[in-house]
Amino acid sequence: DLSRVDCVTFCEQVLSLAISRNYDEAFRNLQRIRYRDGIISFAARNHFVMADWLPHNQWLLKDITGDAGGTLCQVMTKTIDRRSFAAARGCADLGGWPAPQRMSISYIPTPHLPKTVQQLKGSELLVLITRREGIFASHLGFIIPAGEGSMLFRHASSIDKKVVDEPIEHLYRRIAQDRQIAGFALIAVRQESDQSPPPAAP
């Protein structure tokens, strides 16, 4: 359904269309991006951006936060509880869901957003990292060059209820006032020669 998206489904659809030659191929690639091993089910969906979506899409995506941030990076550690997530959404059978996972990620603190983004080439995904317990990512979208050295954040806005191009300076001012946002992570799309999609599930 290309008529309505949230921040994650927007990024998934753009990525699948960008690496595909026709609709059927785009649909298959979308399922590989959205679901673990391309198996369409609630249990196999990559619900958590940093804990599921990024690790299961290493054939297409690469975490470049450390490369871009260097010594500016900080580490955040949280517990990802997929069983509680599923239970809260009405799943009665939790036997197949993994035990809570303690994991750490690197992120770049918010004050360094404008300078860091200016060093990017564009097409990277920017992930806002939250201080809320239980999740790392609160929002994501694409970094888009806008000419004359300016950059835009293209994302499905929950405020505007549509896909918007937001100047990076505006994004920075907005999240700098949000005490829940600790910073951001950066994800690059691998070069075409590096992309090796896993075989589709039978």
Side-chain angles (χ1 to χ4, degrees), residues 61-79:
L61 305 172
K62 178 184 179 182
D63 188 341
I64 60 166
T65 307
D67 295 334
T71 57
L72 299 175
C73 290
Q74 295 187 18
V75 175
M76 180 180 288
T77 302
K78 292 183 179 179
T79 298

Side-chain angles (χ1 to χ4, degrees), residues 160-178:
D160 298 297
K161 305 298 182 184
K162 60 182 180 181
V163 174
V164 299
D165 284 347
E166 182 177 11
I168 287 297
E169 295 77 12
H170 183 276
L171 172 68
Y172 170 65
R173 289 194 298 270
R174 181 164 61 84
I175 67 173
Q177 299 173 359
D178 188 339

Side-chain angles (χ1 to χ4, degrees), residues 6-202:
D6 60 22
C7 63
V8 177
T9 58
F10 168 64
C11 291
E12 290 173 337
Q13 289 176 355
V14 170
L15 289 168
S16 66
L17 290 168
I19 63 173
S20 304
R21 294 166 293 184
N22 53 58
Y23 178 83
D24 289 340
E25 190 172 293
F27 183 83
R28 291 193 298 270
N29 280 326
L30 178 60
Q31 307 322 316
R32 291 173 182 170
I33 294 169
R34 183 168 290 168
Y35 301 99
R36 187 174 63 254
D37 298 324
I39 300 171
I40 302 175
S41 75
F42 183 77
R45 185 157 183 166
N46 294 316
H47 293 287
F48 294 87
V49 172
M50 302 303 289
D52 297 328
W53 195 75
L54 177 58
H56 294 150
N57 283 300
Q58 288 296 301
W59 60 275
L60 178 63
L61 305 172
K62 178 184 179 182
D63 188 341
I64 60 166
T65 307
D67 295 334
T71 57
L72 299 175
C73 290
Q74 295 187 18
V75 175
M76 180 180 288
T77 302
K78 292 183 179 179
T79 298
I80 304 300
D81 191 343
R82 296 174 180 84
R83 288 181 181 175
S84 294
F85 172 86
R89 286 154 182 80
C91 288
D93 182 10
L94 301 176
W97 291 83
Q101 175 189 4
R102 193 73 172 165
M103 68 174 292
S104 300
I105 67 161
S106 293
Y107 73 97
I108 304 170
T110 298
H112 305 293
L113 174 64
K115 184 177 180 180
T116 303
V117 168
Q118 287 303 318
Q119 300 172 3
L120 302 177
K121 66 178 183 179
S123 79
E124 298 87 356
L125 290 118
L126 184 145
V127 184
L128 298 184
I129 302 301
T130 180
R131 291 187 172 93
R132 288 170 50 199
E133 287 301 318
I135 62 171
F136 289 108
S138 64
H139 194 57
L140 72 161
F142 292 98
I143 298 297
I144 305 294
E148 299 182 358
S150 62
M151 292 286 196
L152 300 171
F153 181 50
R154 180 169 295 168
H155 62 115
S157 170
S158 59
I159 299 172
D160 298 297
K161 305 298 182 184
K162 60 182 180 181
V163 174
V164 299
D165 284 347
E166 182 177 11
I168 287 297
E169 295 77 12
H170 183 276
L171 172 68
Y172 170 65
R173 289 194 298 270
R174 181 164 61 84
I175 67 173
Q177 299 173 359
D178 188 339
R179 294 182 179 180
Q180 290 294 327
I181 302 297
F184 60 98
L186 292 167
I187 300 171
V189 180
R190 294 185 184 275
Q191 296 298 314
E192 185 175 356
S193 59
D194 296 332
Q195 295 172 12
S196 179

